[in-house]
Amino acid sequence: MSENKQNKSKSTASDWSDEEKAAMQERAKELKAEKANRNRASDEQAVMEKIGEMPEAERAIATRLHEMIKQKFPALYAKTWYGMPAYQLDGKTLIFFQSAHRFGSRYSTLAFSDTAKLDDGPFWATSYALLEMDTTVEAKVRDLIRKAIG
């Protein structure tokens, strides 16, 4: 039976996509940078650099999201998380933006971690497809963030 477990472990390790492996490598770099005493300004700069790497349409969404969060939710701390723009509350990632281009997806994703207080009975959404950031979408995102913060 232990041989079967070993075989399963070996196949699981190779099941990671190149994009997922790259994200894990980025997370390792982020953790190393944290140990080097990064500060709020350098963390925000890292977020802006990641946003700058995105294709124009995604960059526009991520930039508007970032500006809105800074303006409306100053308690959230901008920081990369697995190489994605993310926003923390009390040292824990609350929300992040996943680029479609980076992961070869059909759409970008705005997602919330398990620390978000979005609970709504036994079933609720924690991620959302995001194709554009108009005023209607922005209002819905603000409402979700308010609920997530609690």
Side-chain angles (χ1 to χ4, degrees):
M1 183 153 162
S2 64
E3 183 180 340
N4 190 16
K5 275 187 176 178
Q6 286 176 344
N7 288 341
K8 185 175 183 179
S9 294
K10 287 180 184 176
S11 67
T12 303
S14 66
D15 289 342
W16 296 101
S17 71
D18 290 342
E19 293 83 4
E20 290 167 326
K21 289 175 189 174
M24 288 186 288
Q25 290 171 345
E26 292 222 35
R27 184 65 182 141
K29 288 179 192 174
E30 292 163 0
L31 292 171
K32 190 175 181 178
E34 283 177 18
K35 289 182 181 179
N37 296 322
R38 292 183 67 171
N39 58 36
R40 189 174 190 109
S42 64
D43 284 337
E44 184 167 351
Q45 180 61 36
V47 166
M48 295 310 296
E49 287 171 7
K50 287 299 173 188
I51 291 172
E53 293 172 4
M54 295 177 189
E56 187 176 337
E58 290 179 349
R59 186 171 52 244
I61 294 168
T63 299
R64 184 63 204 129
L65 176 67
H66 180 75
E67 290 169 355
M68 183 266 296
I69 288 174
K70 276 184 65 172
Q71 183 180 51
K72 302 290 184 184
F73 303 98
L76 296 183
Y77 185 96
K79 192 169 189 172
T80 58
W81 189 62
Y82 292 93
M84 296 176 282
Y87 303 88
Q88 294 184 341
L89 181 65
D90 300 328
K92 295 181 180 179
T93 297
L94 180 75
I95 183 173
F96 60 94
F97 179 79
Q98 185 174 336
S99 165
H101 175 77
R102 180 166 180 217
F103 288 92
S105 298
R106 185 167 67 98
Y107 47 80
S108 296
T109 306
L110 180 67
F112 294 84
S113 72
D114 63 344
T115 62
K117 297 173 181 156
L118 297 173
D119 307 42
D120 187 16
F123 181 78
W124 62 89
T126 59
S127 64
Y128 300 83
L130 189 53
L131 298 175
E132 62 181 59
M133 188 72 142
D134 62 16
T135 56
T136 303
V137 172
E138 187 175 325
K140 289 179 182 181
V141 169
R142 278 195 312 271
D143 289 344
L144 283 169
I145 294 172
R146 275 189 204 99
K147 185 174 181 182
I149 290 172

